[in-house]
Amino acid sequence: MKVKKIPLRMCTGCMEMKPKKELIRVVKTPEGDVCVDLTGKKSGRGAYICKSTECLEKAFKAKRLSRNLETPISEEIYNKLKDEVNNE
């Protein structure tokens, strides 16, 4: 039987490769909007972050999310990510 390949993505906070399903995706849509993508299927440029507050803090302080998405990240998106991490 063939073993199914698990897609890996890099967390922007800790810079570790982890399975895609364990990460939260932040998307910059073709229109330029930034939103949290819980399905992982929205079109646009994506950046991934672990479901831990430490990684979120690291990524936000170093401005890695905004660099990866090539656009500034608003406080609203940051707060939405914080809520999502705290709910896990």
Side-chain angles (χ1 to χ4, degrees), residues 3-82:
V3 179
K4 192 171 184 181
K5 187 179 168 200
I6 300 169
L8 297 175
R9 299 290 182 265
M10 185 180 285
C11 170
T12 54
C14 60
M15 305 303 278
E16 288 181 23
M17 296 294 282
K18 296 188 178 184
K20 187 178 173 181
K21 292 202 184 255
E22 292 178 12
L23 302 170
I24 299 170
R25 185 172 187 239
V26 183
V27 182
K28 176 186 166 191
T29 61
E31 293 81 40
D33 302 328
V34 177
C35 58
V36 179
D37 179 17
L38 299 175
T39 61
K41 296 187 190 286
K42 284 187 182 177
S43 65
R45 184 173 186 85
Y48 294 85
I49 192 121
C50 291
K51 294 178 182 175
S52 77
T53 49
E54 294 168 13
C55 283
L56 184 60
E57 294 291 329
K58 276 186 198 175
F60 201 71
K61 281 182 185 170
K63 298 188 185 210
R64 287 190 193 136
L65 268 178
S66 56
R67 200 175 316 132
N68 285 351
L69 296 175
E70 300 169 347
T71 187
I73 305 293
S74 68
E75 278 293 319
E76 183 185 324
I77 298 297
Y78 178 67
N79 291 334
K80 201 179 282 188
L81 277 170
K82 220 177 205 178

